[in-house]
Amino acid sequence: MPTAIQPDLSPSSLQSCRICPRVCGCDRTDGDHGFCRTDAGMNIAAITLHRGEEPAISGPQGICNVFFAHCNLQCRFCQNHQISGNHRPVPTAFHSPEQAAEAIAAILETGVHRLGFVSPSHMVPQMVAIIAAVRRRGFRPIVVYNSNGYDQVRTLRALEEWIDVYLPDCKYGNPHLARTLSGAADYPEVAAAALTEMYRQKGNILHLDDNGQAERGLIVRHLVLPGAVANSLQVLRFLAHELSPRLTLSLMAQYQPTAAMDNCPPLNRPLAPAEYEQVVAELERLGFTNGWLQDMASAGHYNPDFSRPTPFSD
């Protein structure tokens, strides 16, 4: 295991930030915030226990999740829109890695063994500093990198010894949809390279402990969007043909329209059962057997409220 922050993941890398695929080159240590509008501080929206992740990630005890503010994508339908919008103020509750580690330790001390970082793609130096601070306190949790898939390959390579489980999205195979909904027409090619690197590091076997909890590996998430079945089929075919149908896949049906989608059909409605069934049929045809499907009723159960001390109802 590493004992120090690797040079290319140090806070000084934010002086000319190229951490994520936006490669803004801005000096985040001196008030130049770039696309994500975050500085070199912790930029943490919440540190909370969460039981709503995939069973192999959260299990009965849950996972301690660190939710970073803002994002290097701006998905118009994001369920975390209260904290992910780059136009919103950045929270300032945690001013140092040590303060964040103290809050994390309080959760880990209850018997939780997993530490997740949500939306970390633009916050990797801060994330690594927090992991190091947690380890200095004597904790060695399984570290989960829960990203949108819009990750820089060279950053992922530097993370290889820091991350135990990668939990990325693979959102789009369609560049037009990626540009329209997330402001990143290059998402399909960027995510393909990122997931290929994650796959190189972890392979297609999800290593589980005696309780069925993930210790090492890769889990890929895909959210099926209303009116975008063709996009989902593209994503599944990429994963099967370019990676492996043996990888662990979480196919989500939990899309829930936000107020921002009120005038944006078909994203102003929930996912139709027939749409999800089409995607499941392709998943089965391609030979995926490892992972999880979602019940259609899940759309009402995964919407956080970050104005509350505990954002999730679980």
Side-chain angles (χ1 to χ4, degrees):
M1 302 302 288
T3 57
I5 299 175
Q6 300 178 42
D8 53 350
L9 299 183
S10 69
S12 63
S13 66
L14 297 175
Q15 292 176 351
S16 179
C17 187
R18 290 173 170 81
I19 292 296
C20 91
R22 299 286 180 184
V23 290
C24 297
C26 62
D27 185 354
R28 290 169 61 181
T29 68
D30 193 33
D32 185 6
H33 295 164
F35 180 88
C36 68
R37 308 301 299 166
T38 52
D39 59 16
M42 292 296 98
N43 300 293
I44 293 171
I47 296 176
T48 185
L49 179 67
H50 188 202
R51 293 187 174 88
E53 307 285 17
E54 283 75 7
I57 294 294
S58 58
Q61 293 173 313
I63 181 172
C64 175
N65 267 343
V66 178
F67 288 85
F68 287 116
H70 293 193
C71 191
N72 67 344
L73 292 181
Q74 288 297 277
C75 300
R76 296 169 62 189
F77 54 85
C78 182
Q79 68 178 18
N80 292 348
H81 59 90
Q82 290 170 303
I83 62 172
S84 64
N86 292 350
H87 63 286
R88 295 178 178 273
V90 177
T92 56
F94 301 95
H95 297 279
S96 69
E98 289 71 24
Q99 281 187 325
E102 183 178 1
I104 291 166
I107 295 175
L108 298 181
E109 285 171 348
T110 68
V112 173
H113 302 295
R114 279 158 184 78
L115 172 59
F117 292 89
V118 183
S119 299
S121 304
H122 61 305
M123 296 293 296
V124 170
Q126 293 94 325
M127 179 190 74
V128 170
I130 292 168
I131 296 170
V134 168
R135 290 176 177 172
R136 286 194 295 270
R137 289 173 173 265
F139 295 96
R140 293 293 186 273
I142 300 297
V143 176
V144 179
Y145 186 88
N146 182 347
S147 84
N148 56 29
Y150 198 61
D151 288 292
Q152 182 77 283
V153 169
R154 65 173 175 263
T155 300
L156 294 173
R157 287 178 183 153
L159 281 174
E160 185 165 0
E161 298 302 321
W162 291 94
I163 303 301
D164 300 299
V165 180
Y166 284 108
L167 181 62
D169 294 335
C170 191
K171 293 179 181 289
Y172 306 110
N174 183 319
H176 174 73
L177 198 65
R179 180 178 64 250
T180 301
L181 297 182
S182 297
D186 62 347
Y187 181 94
E189 61 190 84
V190 168
L195 268 68
T196 298
E197 172 60 21
M198 295 178 191
Y199 183 82
R200 181 197 68 78
Q201 293 182 24
K202 305 302 181 185
N204 59 19
I205 297 174
L206 185 64
H207 298 267
L208 306 175
D209 64 18
D210 293 340
N211 298 313
Q213 302 300 288
E215 291 186 314
R216 181 180 182 275
L218 168 65
I219 300 171
V220 180
R221 286 174 164 175
H222 176 69
L223 174 65
V224 183
L225 298 173
V229 167
N231 174 67
S232 292
L233 302 186
Q234 283 181 283
V235 167
L236 291 182
R237 290 164 188 165
F238 158 72
L239 294 173
H241 297 152
E242 302 300 324
L243 300 184
S244 170
R246 294 182 61 196
L247 64 77
T248 302
L249 180 63
S250 179
L251 188 68
M252 300 184 294
Q254 68 186 51
Y255 178 82
Q256 181 76 5
T258 64
M261 295 291 96
D262 283 350
N263 298 312
C264 299
L267 293 173
N268 60 349
R269 64 167 173 84
L271 182 69
E275 292 174 313
Y276 191 64
E277 289 165 8
Q278 281 183 265
V279 181
V280 171
E282 181 68 0
L283 176 148
E284 294 172 346
R285 187 191 72 78
L286 290 167
F288 288 99
T289 57
N290 300 318
W292 302 271
L293 303 178
Q294 272 189 333
D295 188 277
M296 294 302 298
S298 63
H301 297 289
Y302 295 101
N303 296 301
D305 182 354
F306 286 93
S307 68
R308 303 184 312 193
T310 54
F312 293 89
S313 58
D314 57 21

